[in-house]
Amino acid sequence: MKKTFKEIPGSIVAPKGFLASGVFCDIKRLGTGKGSNKGPKRDLALIISETPATVAGMFTTNQVCAAPVKICVERIKKGTAQVVVVNSGNANACTGKQGMADAREMVSFTERALNFPKGSALVGSTGRIGVTMPMDNVRAGIIEAATLLGSAVENANHAAEAIMTSDSRSKQIAIEFLRGGKKVRIGGICKGAGMIQPGMSPTGARPATLPHGGLHATMLCFITTDAAIDAKVLQLVLNEAVAHSFNRITVDGDMSTNDTVLVLANGLAGNKKFKVQSSEFRVFQAALNHVALELAKKIVRDGEGVHRVVTVRVDGARTVQDADAAARTVANSALVKTSWHGGDPNWGRIIDAIGYSSAKIVEKKVDIGYSAGGGKKILWSLKRGQPTKATFKQLCVAVAPKEFDLHINLNLGKAGAVMYACDLTEDYVDFNKGDVTDASSLGG
């Protein structure tokens, strides 16, 4: 299915009728913590549809969630929106009544600045927790961003930069494909490098959405499409896409207060709205899955201090929940992650993590092996709970690449799960430990 998707430039402005901009308005304040040492990096973005669009969203299930998340959860219920205003440098989380007032002001001020109807704006924030928003700066940024909106590639680049915090590079993608003789496009940008293990649901209520009909630094993602699609169908498609992508990644096992995915669909491609489970529906689902997964993988590869990226594949579990638990526990084990960094094929740490997960396992049935990324040739280090004849040298070679797959088969059922994970390095610790003698090093 992927082969039918052509990658194109422009990310969020590639679909018809979308504009974007990004500006610097000193939201974090230069010299006040990590991220502010990047100089006047753009820190406020606008993403707009020239016509009203259907909307769908997925939000953090952290019980402490930021004001922008609460605003979006409420606003997407009506199924339409036209603009998203996003800032970096301040999460507007744990900011109480003032934070809610500021988030409401961000959407209402944006609507007035663009002369859009009330209720048509959504908001996203990322950055420091527990600091009130510098609203004078925000308002100035919105006014400037409104004058710079455009559909050029550089407009998408500016918006992608504006949402970054500890990211070392922007994360963007756009694809196009044909449906019913009409050219349909999907574009997206995202950010995230630390505080990454999203667990999102359509309302922010637990549990997070898992694949295959299972239970349902900040990660932000904004996706645009010119496809014509009803809001309820768009939400259904987004649920599945996020379940297979953003809800399958981890850098450090920490779920943010602000994780958000928003999709706007304005229908300007001119395709006929498709029915659930029709061939057009399945193609659009595959396309959105592709966009979401590519963006999610970009987050893991750009994780704070990341040296190696590991795809953890669990098969043979009794249930999807068991498979997810085993994969997630291994992917977040500090001992496993540090061994990946050192190039140590330490299967003892892996089976230990599987054993203390909530998944049902039988020691004498567990298999553990390695392959190249996406490869089918597996070098097994453990079979049925016992070491194989694979040599230590062979295993070291298997875990030496910058990216590889870890295969775990519990041999108890037919369910499986995947987690896209990474190693734990000295650089991650150095970046996040702070220094109480240097106030500029503290804060997110």
Side-chain angles (χ1 to χ4, degrees):
M1 189 73 75
K2 282 185 184 179
K3 294 180 180 178
T4 64
F5 307 141
K6 175 185 175 183
E7 290 208 10
I8 57 175
S11 64
I12 51 172
V13 298
K16 290 181 182 178
F18 285 95
L19 309 175
S21 61
V23 300
F24 168 70
C25 55
D26 203 10
I27 288 175
K28 190 170 187 177
R29 306 295 174 90
L30 289 173
T32 58
K34 287 179 178 174
S36 62
N37 58 355
K38 294 180 180 179
K41 180 196 78 67
R42 291 176 176 85
D43 54 8
L44 186 138
L46 290 179
I47 304 165
I48 78 161
S49 172
E50 293 180 308
T51 60
T54 56
V55 63
M58 296 285 279
F59 306 99
T60 184
T61 54
N62 193 320
Q63 295 173 89
V64 178
C65 71
V69 172
K70 296 173 183 175
I71 295 294
C72 285
V73 167
E74 186 60 33
R75 286 195 161 211
I76 70 165
K77 289 178 181 178
K78 72 174 188 174
T80 60
Q82 199 166 351
V83 56
V84 184
V85 54
V86 195
N87 74 273
S88 61
N90 189 314
N92 195 9
C94 301
T95 44
K97 292 181 179 180
Q98 186 60 52
M100 287 298 294
D102 290 342
R104 289 192 183 97
E105 171 67 3
M106 284 182 71
V107 291
S108 61
F109 190 87
T110 299
E111 290 160 357
R112 294 195 300 273
L114 295 170
N115 196 28
F116 281 179
K118 289 183 179 181
S120 62
L122 300 171
V123 59
S125 298
T126 178
R128 281 189 170 187
I129 292 173
V131 180
T132 55
M133 296 288 288
M135 289 305 295
D136 287 344
N137 294 31
V138 170
R139 283 185 283 265
I142 291 170
I143 291 171
E144 182 182 1
T147 67
L148 297 174
L149 288 162
S151 59
V153 171
E154 69 174 7
N155 291 98
N157 293 341
H158 292 170
E161 177 191 323
I163 67 175
M164 291 165 51
T165 52
S166 60
D167 308 62
S168 68
R169 54 188 178 270
S170 67
K171 301 164 182 70
Q172 308 181 57
I173 189 174
I175 63 171
E176 68 178 19
F177 53 98
L178 291 175
R179 279 293 86 193
K182 302 294 184 179
K183 187 181 293 182
V184 177
R185 292 181 171 185
I186 303 176
I189 60 173
C190 71
K191 63 81 55 181
M195 198 179 280
I196 299 295
Q197 185 184 221
M200 294 178 282
S201 75
T203 63
R206 293 184 176 183
T209 303
L210 290 178
H212 314 305
L215 301 172
H216 272 224
T218 297
M219 192 292 303
L220 296 181
C221 178
F222 305 99
I223 298 173
T224 59
T225 179
D226 47 20
I229 180 171
D230 287 329
K232 288 183 178 180
V233 180
L234 184 61
Q235 186 66 60
L236 184 66
V237 176
L238 181 61
N239 292 355
E240 186 70 5
V242 168
H244 287 277
S245 58
F246 297 110
N247 280 5
R248 313 309 308 160
I249 64 173
T250 182
V251 170
D252 45 26
D254 286 308
M255 183 192 297
S256 170
T257 56
N258 291 60
D259 292 332
T260 299
V261 179
L262 292 172
V263 181
L264 297 177
N266 64 16
L268 293 183
N271 63 292
K272 292 182 179 179
K273 292 183 179 180
F274 40 78
K275 296 179 180 180
V276 175
Q277 298 308 326
S278 65
S279 60
E280 289 82 4
F281 173 91
R282 289 192 292 272
V283 170
F284 187 81
Q285 180 73 76
L288 189 61
N289 287 356
H290 176 74
V291 167
L293 184 56
E294 288 303 303
L295 289 172
K297 288 179 178 179
K298 289 176 188 288
I299 290 174
V300 179
R301 292 181 178 124
D302 192 34
E304 291 167 356
V306 166
H307 178 65
R308 284 191 172 92
V309 173
V310 181
T311 301
V312 181
R313 302 183 182 276
V314 173
D315 292 299
R318 296 183 311 162
T319 65
V320 170
Q321 289 77 12
D322 273 7
D324 177 75
R328 204 171 289 275
T329 303
V330 170
N332 286 322
S333 163
L335 284 174
V336 172
K337 291 164 77 73
T338 51
S339 69
W340 288 342
H341 178 50
D344 179 6
N346 193 327
W347 60 260
R349 295 181 179 183
I350 295 168
I351 196 168
D352 174 73
I354 298 168
Y356 68 69
S357 76
S358 62
K360 170 66 178 178
I361 77 156
V362 176
E363 178 186 340
K364 64 182 180 181
K365 291 189 176 184
V366 176
D367 301 336
I368 297 173
Y370 303 96
S371 75
K376 295 182 179 179
K377 186 177 180 180
I378 302 172
L379 177 65
W380 296 102
S381 59
L382 198 72
K383 270 287 190 180
R384 302 293 171 167
Q386 292 296 304
T388 67
K389 293 183 179 180
T391 67
F392 183 66
K393 183 177 181 180
Q394 289 174 318
L395 294 171
C396 286
V397 170
V399 301
K402 296 292 185 184
E403 297 194 18
F404 63 85
D405 288 4
L406 169 64
H407 298 265
I408 298 167
N409 197 323
L410 302 183
N411 291 300
L412 293 176
K414 297 182 179 180
V418 178
M419 286 294 294
Y420 302 94
C422 59
D423 57 357
L424 177 61
T425 71
E426 296 91 339
D427 289 339
Y428 178 89
V429 176
D430 286 342
F431 186 86
N432 285 285
K433 67 184 180 182
D435 181 353
V436 295
T437 67
D438 178 10
S440 68
S441 74
L442 304 176

